Amino acid sequence: MRSVPVGMFHHVNHNADDFITVSVKHFADQMACLVKEGVTTLSAQELLEHQLGQKEAPAKSFAITFDDAWLDVYVHAFPILKQHGLKFTIFVVTDWSEAASKNPPATLPFDFPTHHESEKLVRANRTGEVICGWDHLREMMASGLCSIESHTATHEDVTKMSGDSLRADLRRASQSLQANLGVTSRQLCWPKGRHNKQSTTLAQEEGIEATYLVKRGVNLAGKGGLDIKRFTVDDRPGSWLLKQIGIFSRPVYGYLYSRIKPDRLQEKLLKRLSGKPKK
């Protein structure tokens, strides 16, 4: 039985060693290594077909995912992905992209703030400086390489929402993607990976067929799409990424590795959510 590794990215910019950021240098090397080793990148639909057991994925397969639709993905990652013809998926926070579209930057930036500063700009209604607007997303979709799926409308913790609030959030995100991009999203990335039984049930009722986690593990063919596991892609060379893909392609090895070795990003997120100071 085959497992398809799924990598989780957020930022690609020149802030090396920043939280959930891969430097442009390392990202370029990672993507070049995928091509050199003959790795097939999957669209969101192709990954779902694998999960549902509808279509067998190639032996060397990998899914590239970006959370939040940060503008540096359009500026720095997209040209590299397009150069190599690599497929990728962006999970869009629709309220953020809507706000960014109303106040886009006069010129595209080359340098970007840190993740922490970017979050501050979103909260300060300066979203257009750091988040992709609809035009950026349309251009990436037009390449034929980019899948767009939901990351909710608000990026709030769904485990703290009432059922009615969560349902309204999911519907607004779905309607926004349809109205602005013509996308019928059936896949959902949980903000910060947080979810519970209620949120999963409501998502299914709203037509969601796949949900993505912030959790390492294996994704076996035919096991369904409601707990797609992803590993954090670190700011490291392409050889490191190929090693991770090799680990999570092998079901037994990937399972044991995910149980024994903690996920760096998951640990940091838990510390933030608990209010513990960062080391």
Side-chain angles (χ1 to χ4, degrees), residues 28 44 51 89 205 222 244-245:
Q51 290 300 114
T89 298
E205 291 175 358
Q244 301 305 302
I245 291 173

Side-chain angles (χ1 to χ4, degrees), residues 139-197:
E139 182 180 338
M140 288 189 282
M141 286 179 60
S143 71
L145 301 171
C146 179
S147 303
I148 298 292
E149 300 291 349
S150 175
H151 201 19
T152 73
T154 61
H155 203 263
E156 297 295 330
D157 183 346
V158 302
T159 66
K160 296 180 180 179
M161 291 183 178
S162 68
D164 288 343
S165 295
L166 175 55
R167 193 183 300 276
D169 186 295
L170 294 177
R171 286 184 179 178
R172 188 163 81 250
S174 177
Q175 291 166 358
S176 184
L177 291 176
Q178 181 64 55
N180 291 287
L181 302 177
V183 169
T184 301
S185 178
R186 293 287 181 263
Q187 303 191 39
L188 170 68
C189 178
W190 297 117
K192 297 183 174 63
R194 309 199 88 182
H195 65 289
N196 54 23
K197 185 176 180 180

Side-chain angles (χ1 to χ4, degrees), residues 28-233:
D29 187 51
Q30 290 171 358
M31 299 303 106
C33 283
L34 293 181
V35 175
K36 183 178 179 181
E37 292 299 315
V39 176
T40 299
T41 52
L42 303 182
S43 67
Q45 181 60 33
E46 288 168 337
L47 177 61
L48 179 58
E49 289 171 353
H50 162 84
Q51 290 300 114
L52 298 178
Q54 297 174 346
K55 186 176 180 180
E56 186 175 7
K60 291 184 179 181
S61 293
F62 179 51
I64 299 171
T65 66
F66 295 93
D67 290 12
D68 309 329
W70 296 103
L71 185 57
D72 53 42
V73 172
Y74 171 79
V75 173
H76 293 302
F78 178 50
I80 297 169
L81 292 160
K82 186 166 57 172
Q83 174 191 348
H84 293 300
L86 298 174
K87 297 176 184 177
F88 60 102
T89 298
I90 299 179
F91 295 109
V92 177
V93 183
T94 56
D95 283 3
W96 292 1
S97 286
E98 181 67 27
S101 297
K102 293 178 180 177
N103 190 25
T107 58
L108 284 174
F110 180 79
D111 294 316
F112 287 86
T114 65
H115 176 70
H116 181 63
E117 291 300 320
S118 295
E119 289 183 315
K120 285 185 176 180
L121 291 173
V122 171
R123 291 193 294 269
N125 296 319
R126 294 170 59 184
T127 317
E129 298 176 36
V130 290
I131 292 290
C132 288
W134 299 125
D135 286 344
H136 304 123
L137 296 170
R138 288 190 196 99
E139 182 180 338
M140 288 189 282
M141 286 179 60
S143 71
L145 301 171
C146 179
S147 303
I148 298 292
E149 300 291 349
S150 175
H151 201 19
T152 73
T154 61
H155 203 263
E156 297 295 330
D157 183 346
V158 302
T159 66
K160 296 180 180 179
M161 291 183 178
S162 68
D164 288 343
S165 295
L166 175 55
R167 193 183 300 276
D169 186 295
L170 294 177
R171 286 184 179 178
R172 188 163 81 250
S174 177
Q175 291 166 358
S176 184
L177 291 176
Q178 181 64 55
N180 291 287
L181 302 177
V183 169
T184 301
S185 178
R186 293 287 181 263
Q187 303 191 39
L188 170 68
C189 178
W190 297 117
K192 297 183 174 63
R194 309 199 88 182
H195 65 289
N196 54 23
K197 185 176 180 180
Q198 173 186 257
S199 62
T200 300
T201 298
L202 283 175
Q204 287 180 282
E205 291 175 358
E206 292 300 311
I208 296 298
E209 299 177 357
T211 59
Y212 292 71
L213 313 181
V214 179
K215 181 180 180 182
R216 293 180 177 187
V218 295
N219 299 303
L220 300 177
K223 292 299 182 180
L226 291 178
D227 62 347
I228 295 177
K229 300 174 182 67
R230 304 182 293 167
F231 66 88
T232 306
V233 180

